[in-house]
Amino acid sequence: MILEEKKLEKRFGKGNPYTVPEGYFDTLTSRIMSNLPDADQCKTISIMPSRKTYWKQWTCGVAACIAGALICLNVFDSPTQPANNFASNNTNKTEMSAGYDEEYQKEVMRYAMVDYNDVYTYLSGTAY
Amino acid sequence: MGKYNEEETLKRLQDPATQSKAFEEIVNHYSQPLYWQIRRLVIDHDDADDVLQNTFIKAWTNISAFRGESKLSTWLYKIAYNESLTFLNHKKEQMSLDEEGSMVTETLESDTYIDGDETQLMLEKAIQQLPDKQRAVFNMKYFQEMKYEDISKITGTSVGALKASFHIAVKKIEEYFNSHD
């Protein structure tokens, strides 16, 4: 407590000069409750995530993991190109890789029963 | 009504079948402290009663917005604080600056529901000279003895700024007395 506050308290105290009509607080709760709008105008609160939310989050997580693992396997298991063919194959590979990767990802996601949105939602941590 | 258990009440508030009863317990538990917070800001009893009603109506209709991340009391005090400031702003829009200053003094002197001794009334007059937000901070810290961290959540102001505001408020009150002694 700062010195000035101590001085104020010493001089004036912390008393309450305000009063209320007699019996005001006795009927206050019932008066407030009777003035509230109908319950259908307010939504039920959800303080903790529901079971449904947990299930959805868990499924999304597992599906995204499977999709991620299959994509990684494809990257590391791709057949090694012989050194002398590298130059000639490089152009073709670059041209083809975009279409091939996309097709493969789609196949993986079909297998894992997820779509881009699920993967994105999981990775960005916005799943509820 | 039995002893208030906030955890239990909040659980029942999630069930539409028990929601109304649970909210009644909340009203019963918080109506008095909220009334006094509002009353010290708006001064007049009838105005405080109106603002309190609006506070609970707003809490009831927006109960879905309460996520349980902060304390229920903080959430309710925040609504009451905002409702009080909105009320005071509307009132000020309807009157000139001169009327505003004299109205506060008149209310303090003539209100049927003000019964303090001369010293208490003098302090109230000094507090009424402060800007609304500073007055609210002063009341919460001095009379309600709230922690700066809680006031910060209610007002949306940093703890540092609140400490400075309170310090300035105390200085202004001292100056008021020095000039009126």
Side-chain angles (χ1 to χ4, degrees):
Chain A
M1 194 187 284
I2 57 174
L3 190 66
E4 292 90 342
E5 190 187 344
K6 277 184 184 172
K7 277 188 203 168
L8 270 187
E9 194 176 342
K10 199 175 175 187
R11 185 170 175 186
F12 301 102
K14 293 191 177 183
N16 181 6
Y18 303 104
T19 60
V20 294
E22 209 178 321
Y24 171 71
F25 287 122
D26 300 338
T27 57
L28 184 59
T29 302
S30 58
R31 271 195 317 112
I32 289 170
M33 291 306 292
S34 65
N35 285 332
L36 294 181
D38 292 338
D40 54 3
Q41 284 183 36
C42 75
K43 292 171 191 165
T44 311
I45 63 164
S46 176
I47 290 167
M48 295 295 286
S50 64
R51 280 186 185 180
K52 196 178 167 186
T53 311
Y54 275 130
W55 182 85
K56 196 178 170 188
Q57 200 170 12
W58 188 83
T59 312
C60 263
V62 170
C65 285
I66 292 170
L70 289 172
I71 289 167
C72 286
L73 277 174
N74 177 52
V75 170
F76 293 113
D77 281 354
S78 59
T80 318
Q81 299 292 329
N84 55 348
N85 288 343
F86 178 76
S88 60
N89 285 344
N90 197 31
T91 322
N92 285 344
K93 195 178 177 185
T94 313
E95 284 168 2
M96 289 173 69
S97 63
Y100 174 75
D101 285 351
E102 198 178 330
E103 209 164 285
Y104 183 77
Q105 281 171 13
K106 279 181 184 169
E107 193 184 320
V108 167
M109 285 194 286
R110 258 199 307 278
Y111 178 76
M113 289 189 293
V114 293
D115 55 19
Y116 281 117
N117 196 36
D118 289 331
V119 176
Y120 174 75
T121 306
Y122 179 73
L123 292 176
S124 64
T126 52
Y128 289 101
Chain B
M1 215 170 271
K3 199 181 173 188
Y4 178 76
N5 180 330
E6 189 144 304
E7 205 177 320
E8 285 299 314
T9 306
L10 287 175
K11 273 183 197 165
R12 287 192 293 116
L13 203 60
Q14 293 174 71
D15 181 358
T18 52
Q19 193 179 44
S20 181
K21 194 73 191 157
F23 193 77
E24 189 175 347
E25 286 170 21
I26 291 169
V27 172
N28 194 50
H29 187 75
Y30 286 107
S31 54
Q32 276 206 46
L34 285 174
Y35 170 85
W36 289 119
Q37 184 197 309
I38 295 165
R39 177 76 189 273
R40 283 195 177 273
L41 268 178
V42 303
I43 311 296
D44 181 67
H45 163 72
D46 292 329
D47 291 342
D49 187 53
D50 287 344
V51 175
L52 183 68
Q53 295 274 349
N54 288 341
T55 299
F56 279 115
I57 289 171
K58 203 151 254 184
W60 173 245
T61 50
N62 291 288
I63 199 77
S64 60
F66 178 69
R67 312 296 302 172
E69 287 156 2
S70 62
K71 286 190 283 183
L72 179 67
S73 58
T74 307
W75 186 65
L76 289 171
Y77 276 112
K78 193 183 176 91
I79 299 174
Y81 168 78
N82 289 332
E83 284 295 308
S84 303
L85 292 185
T86 306
F87 172 84
L88 290 170
N89 286 338
H90 279 307
K91 205 168 184 179
K92 277 175 194 166
E93 281 168 13
Q94 290 164 359
M95 57 179 71
S96 68
L97 274 174
D98 289 344
E99 282 177 326
E100 189 192 315
S102 59
M103 182 208 69
V104 172
T105 315
E106 278 170 26
T107 310
L108 281 170
E109 284 167 356
S110 63
D111 195 316
T112 323
Y113 302 116
I114 294 179
D115 193 25
D117 57 33
E118 205 174 315
T119 323
Q120 284 175 332
L121 284 178
M122 206 172 159
L123 177 61
E124 283 303 317
K125 280 182 191 174
I127 295 168
Q128 296 312 317
Q129 311 304 310
L130 303 173
D132 293 339
K133 285 185 183 176
Q134 197 170 43
R135 198 151 51 92
V137 172
F138 180 85
N139 287 340
M140 282 188 258
K141 185 76 188 92
Y142 184 77
F143 291 110
Q144 294 171 262
E145 297 178 348
M146 282 186 180
K147 289 177 184 170
Y148 279 119
E149 286 74 18
D150 290 334
I151 302 173
S152 171
K153 285 173 192 159
I154 293 166
T155 58
T157 312
S158 70
V159 170
L162 288 173
K163 284 181 180 175
S165 176
F166 182 74
H167 183 74
I168 294 166
V170 173
K171 285 275 177 203
K172 281 182 186 172
I173 291 168
E174 267 193 342
E175 282 167 19
Y176 177 87
F177 289 126
N178 291 339
S179 63
H180 285 77
D181 273 346

